[in-house]
Amino acid sequence: MTTPSSSRAAESRSPEVVLGVGGGIAAYKACEVLRRLTESGHLVRVVPTASALRFVGSATFEALSGRPVHTDVFTDVPEVPHVRLGQTADLVVVAPATADLIAKAANGLADDLLTNTLLTARCPVLLVPAMHTEMWEHPATRANVATLRARGVVVAEPASGRLTGADTGRGRLPDPAEIVELARLLLARRDALPRDLDGRRVLISAGGTREPLDPVRFLGNRSSGRQGYALARVAAQRGAEVTLVAANADLPDPAGVHVVRVGSAAELRAQMLRLADESDVVVMSAAVADFRPVNRAEHKMKKGAADPDALELTRNPDILVELVAGRRPGVVVVGFAAETGDVSGDVLHHGREKLRRKGCDLLVLNEVGEGRAFETEDNEGWLLYADGREQTLPRAAKSELASMVWDGVSALLHA
């Protein structure tokens, strides 16, 4: 039987998140952010601005959070909410963060409950901007964002796409699932999103290549692209200019990332070699087919009565080796290896051998199998350095593992 005291003890173990909602048209997306946070076990207190309530009413936020919504400093005065909310939170997320709200936060203004909470918070703070492109690019907004980042506030990069009315451009609120992923990352590692990749150009491959047999069939693999997308997402939020070459990944584009879509190993190779010369970091996380059919049928192959001919295969080029051989001085190259143990050695043995053969600076080694690495939400493995260092990557969400990989890359870049 659950007692009130045991319920409170269970509640106390759940992260306390303050979800601030600014007064922009994207306020309706905060409802999905709230739903995802509460369904994953977070205790969420919604603090909307007065303008936000013109877009979404308090009843909606209260129904989704199961907790009362306060909007001003004069409600529940004995509880001192303008101080307590910030003091007790494990994370403060503001989505959408309007240009006005960002300006107030940068200048220390506190004229409502949300801005008071931002002043008292000593936990990680994540501001997720949403505004028209002209407002995001205005020198005043850029200066305010720089001020907040210098103080340790995480100001996310906005997405590009449809804005209010017929306008399109940069300034769109990122997908709610991406906002929640960033929130979980900061709860797991409060220092996961430093701006240590500012000015760096990063090229990442992701997904799994498909080698066509005929117009409807192909040779492929089980890679979902989630790990590569997580690497791209985290790199962009750490300040990098990111290009993601995505092979057959059915995932939304990460905010602030330029995505190039490919299908086969040959297409991926062409794009990676073309873009590598413009990059400071190259990450080969895509699962590239080792072989392709020698001949592709022009028409769908019929089953017929006879047994099919043997399928003749030829080896695909080793893209990672080519990238290492052709890189400019100072470029960091990261490889990925999906391995299983066998009679000749365990996973680490094969990973070390692959690092030696490929010649990259870092190798992310994953042990694959049922429920491991491919098509999962989390990941684990090892980070192997060319100088012989090895780091265990404990089982965690793929975004968290991505942040650990970027810690290693950043250390090499700054060395």
Side-chain angles (χ1 to χ4, degrees), residues 33-100:
V33 174
L34 172 58
R35 185 186 67 79
R36 287 175 176 268
L37 285 171
T38 54
E39 287 184 354
S40 55
H42 301 81
L43 298 174
V44 187
R45 177 82 66 178
V46 182
V47 182
T49 65
S51 297
L53 293 176
R54 297 175 70 90
F55 293 96
V56 182
S58 293
T60 301
F61 293 130
E62 290 179 347
L64 290 171
S65 68
R67 307 177 92 180
V69 169
H70 301 310
T71 60
D72 63 80
V73 297
F74 298 106
T75 302
D76 286 341
V77 171
E79 297 296 323
V80 201
H82 71 288
V83 174
R84 290 285 181 265
L85 286 173
Q87 287 178 332
T88 59
D90 296 302
L91 175 69
V92 176
V93 181
V94 181
T98 62
D100 177 69

Side-chain angles (χ1 to χ4, degrees), residues 91-144:
L91 175 69
V92 176
V93 181
V94 181
T98 62
D100 177 69
L101 192 51
I102 288 173
K104 288 179 178 178
N107 290 282
L109 300 181
D111 60 354
D112 62 7
L113 186 57
L114 179 53
T115 48
N116 273 273
T117 300
L118 291 172
L119 274 183
T120 58
R122 294 299 178 266
C123 58
V125 174
L126 170 63
L127 303 183
V128 190
M131 63 194 74
H132 267 68
T133 306
E134 293 84 356
M135 300 173 75
W136 173 249
E137 294 176 349
H138 194 282
T141 303
R142 305 308 299 157
N144 291 330

Side-chain angles (χ1 to χ4, degrees), residues 6 18 94 146-147 154 174 179 194 215 223 237 241 246 252 259 267 296 317 319 382:
S6 65
V18 171
V94 181
T147 296
V154 178
I179 296 171
S223 177
Q237 300 302 344
E241 179 184 329
V259 179
E267 292 170 356
R296 175 186 174 179
I319 303 172
W382 297 265

Side-chain angles (χ1 to χ4, degrees), residues 5 53 66 175 189 209 269 279 285 288 361:
S5 60
L53 293 176
D175 187 82
R189 300 185 70 215
T209 63
R269 173 180 178 269
S279 305
S285 66
V288 182
D361 301 288

Side-chain angles (χ1 to χ4, degrees), residues 272-273 275-282 319-335 355 358-362 386 412:
M272 293 297 291
L273 294 179
L275 296 165
D277 283 343
E278 306 167 2
S279 305
D280 301 304
V281 183
V282 179
I319 303 172
L320 179 56
V321 168
E322 290 186 89
L323 290 168
V324 170
R327 64 175 163 178
R328 293 179 291 103
V331 174
V332 174
V333 179
V334 182
L355 174 63
K358 304 292 186 180
C360 49
D361 301 288
L362 291 174
L412 290 178

Side-chain angles (χ1 to χ4, degrees), residues 54 56 66 68 152 160 174 229 254 331 343 385 396 409 413:
R54 297 175 70 90
V56 182
S160 296
Y229 272 64
V331 174
V343 294
Y385 291 77
V409 172
L413 287 170

